[in-house]
C-alpha cells in the first residue's frame, strides 16, 4: 500500500509510543483493521466473524490511555476514483460490517473518529491534522502520508517499535523539494498510478526530473498536491458497560479478560 519501495529510499528513527506521552496521535483506521484481520496467520474468529481488528483497536486505545495519548481514528471515504483499480485487485477486502463494528467500538470507548471527505484518503486528512497542529503525528504504514505533506509519520514495526519519519529531515537528506519528492513517489508507483517504466528505487533520484509522466501519473501528482477539505467528526460517547456487554455477548470475548482491562 502506498508508494512502492519508498521506505527503501528514506530513513527514519526508531521510537516508541512512550515518547509521545501526553500527545495527540491520528491513526489510519482502515489500514490498522485490514492488517489485523488479514495479516495474522490465525485471526480471531467468533461465529465465522473475524474479530482480530476489534481486538487490536481495543488494546491500542487502552495503551494510548495508559500513556495519556489522545487517539483520533480517521476512516477513508472509500470513494477515491483514482484508487478504484488498486482496490479492485485486492483479494481480501474489509466488509461494511467490519468497518461499522470498528466505529462502534471506538465510540463506546469514547474515542473521536473522523471520516475523510468524499474522494479523499484517511492519510490525506491525517496529514492535514498534523500540519495544523491538531495531531502531533499520523500513525500509518502508508507512505502516501509523506506525499500529502505529513510533517511527522509513525510506521508500526514489530512489537512495540515504531519508525518515526520527519518530512523536513527527509527532504533535507535527499536535497529535494516537496514538489520534487512527490514526483519521486509517483515515478516509483503508487495506489493511484503505475510506476514509470525503467525507474526503480536505485535510479529514481537521477531519472525523476526527466521522466515523462502519463496522464494518469500526472493526475496522481495533482492529487497529492490537493488540499483536503474538512472531514466529518463523530464524537465518542464512552460507555464501558455497553462495551463490555457487546464484546463478551455479541463477539465472544472473554468476560474475565475484558473485565480486567476495563477495571470492572
Amino acid at each position: 500500500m502506498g508508494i512502492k519501495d519508498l521506505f527503501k529510499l528514506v530513513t527514519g528513527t526508531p521510537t516508541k509510543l512512550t515518547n509521545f506521552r501526553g500527545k495527540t496521535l491520528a491513526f489510519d483506521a482502515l489500514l490498522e483493521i485490514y492488517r489485523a484481520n488479514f495479516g495474522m496467520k490465525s485471526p480471531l474468529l467468533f461465529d465465522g466473524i473475524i474479530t482480530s481488528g476489534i481486538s487490536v483497536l481495543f488494546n491500542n486505545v487502552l495503551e494510548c490511555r495508559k500513556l495519556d495519548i489522545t487517539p483520533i481514528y480517521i476512516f477513508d471515504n472509500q470513494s477515491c476514483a483514482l484508487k478504484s483499480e488498486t482496490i479492485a485487485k485486492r483479494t481480501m477486502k474489509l466488509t461494511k460490517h467490519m468497518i461499522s463494528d470498528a466505529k462502534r467500538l471506538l465510540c463506546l470507548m469514547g474515542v473521536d473518529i473522523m471520516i475523510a471527505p468524499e474522494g479523499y484518503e484517511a492519510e490525506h486528512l491525517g496529514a492535514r491534522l498534523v500540519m495544523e497542529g491538531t495531531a502531533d503525528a499520523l500513525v500509518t504504514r502508508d507512505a502516501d502520508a509523506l506525499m500529502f505533506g505529513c510533517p511527522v509519520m509513525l510506521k508500526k514495526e514489530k512489537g512495540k517499535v515504531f519508525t518515526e519519519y520527519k518530512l523536513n529531515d527527509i527532504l533535507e537528506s535527499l536535497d529535494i523539494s516537496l514538489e520534487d519528492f512527490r514526483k519521486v513517489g509517483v515515478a516509483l508507483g503508487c495506489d493511484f498510478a503505475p510506476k514509470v517504466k525503467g525507474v526503480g528505487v536505485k535510479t529514481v533520484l537521477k531519472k525523476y526530473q526527466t521522466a515523462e509522466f502519463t496522464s494518469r501519473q500526472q493526475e496522481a501528482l495533482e492529487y497529492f498536491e490537493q488540499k483536503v477539505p474538512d472531514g466529518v467528526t463523530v464524537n465518542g460517547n464512552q460507555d464501558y458497560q455497553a462495551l463490555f456487554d457487546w464484546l463478551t455477548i455479541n463477539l465472544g470475548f472473554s468476560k474475565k479478560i475484558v473485565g480486567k482491562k476495563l477495571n470492572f
Side-chain angles (χ1 to χ4, degrees):
M1 295 180 179
I3 309 298
K4 180 178 174 60
D5 292 333
L6 187 70
F7 291 122
K8 295 180 181 179
L9 184 67
V10 302
T11 56
T13 305
T15 190
K16 294 184 178 181
L17 282 184
T18 52
N19 294 325
F20 291 84
R21 190 183 298 272
K23 304 290 187 179
T24 297
L25 297 180
F27 289 81
D28 185 344
L30 295 189
L31 187 57
E32 194 162 321
I33 301 165
Y34 188 93
R35 284 181 55 79
N37 280 353
F38 304 125
M40 295 182 177
K41 292 182 179 180
S42 301
L44 299 177
L45 292 170
F46 180 71
D47 282 350
I49 299 173
I50 300 177
T51 59
S52 299
I54 295 299
S55 177
V56 167
L57 287 183
F58 177 65
N59 287 301
N60 284 356
V61 171
L62 292 178
E63 180 69 15
C64 285
R65 293 266 165 82
K66 288 180 182 178
L67 297 174
D68 194 28
I69 291 173
T70 301
I72 302 173
Y73 276 83
I74 309 174
F75 288 77
D76 291 335
N77 191 282
Q78 294 189 300
S79 61
C80 178
L82 278 176
K83 198 174 180 179
S84 58
E85 290 184 14
T86 298
I87 294 174
K89 292 177 182 178
R90 291 176 183 168
T91 56
M92 295 178 288
K93 300 177 183 180
L94 293 174
T95 65
K96 291 182 179 180
H97 186 74
M98 291 175 181
I99 296 171
S100 63
D101 272 0
K103 291 177 179 178
R104 182 177 183 179
L105 172 84
L106 294 168
C107 181
L108 290 175
M109 296 191 79
V111 176
D112 291 345
I113 67 174
M114 296 187 73
I115 313 297
E118 185 175 355
Y120 291 88
E121 301 273 282
E123 59 270 23
H124 200 163
L125 183 55
R128 173 183 161 178
L129 295 184
V130 181
M131 286 188 278
E132 294 177 343
T134 303
D136 295 285
L138 171 61
V139 182
T140 180
R141 292 182 61 87
D142 199 327
D144 285 351
L146 297 171
M147 298 293 117
F148 289 126
C150 185
V152 184
M153 170 186 159
L154 298 180
K155 177 173 173 280
K156 184 75 166 64
E157 308 293 355
K158 292 182 179 181
K160 295 187 177 183
V161 177
F162 291 76
T163 300
E164 180 179 7
Y165 294 93
K166 294 184 177 180
L167 182 58
N168 285 341
D169 290 349
I170 290 172
L171 299 180
E172 184 177 342
S173 66
L174 296 177
D175 191 22
I176 199 173
S177 66
L178 177 55
E179 180 182 0
D180 282 351
F181 185 52
R182 287 169 171 152
K183 291 179 182 178
V184 168
V186 172
L188 286 172
C190 60
D191 288 340
F192 313 112
K195 69 185 292 293
V196 173
K197 292 183 179 180
V199 171
V201 68
K202 294 182 179 180
T203 61
V204 66
L205 292 177
K206 296 179 181 179
K207 294 184 176 182
Y208 79 90
Q209 290 180 318
T210 58
E212 295 185 6
F213 286 169
T214 64
S215 59
R216 182 62 178 272
Q217 291 162 343
Q218 187 61 42
E219 281 185 82
L221 184 60
E222 292 171 358
Y223 182 70
F224 283 132
E225 295 171 346
Q226 288 181 19
K227 291 185 178 180
V228 60
D230 293 338
V232 176
T233 301
V234 180
N235 297 121
N237 184 20
Q238 183 173 302
D239 187 337
Y240 275 3
Q241 182 61 61
L243 175 64
F244 176 84
D245 292 341
W246 178 59
L247 289 177
T248 58
I249 297 173
N250 297 76
L251 298 182
F253 282 63
S254 164
K255 290 184 178 181
K256 182 178 180 180
I257 294 175
V258 174
K260 183 178 181 180
K261 291 186 175 183
L262 294 180
N263 294 319
F264 266 32

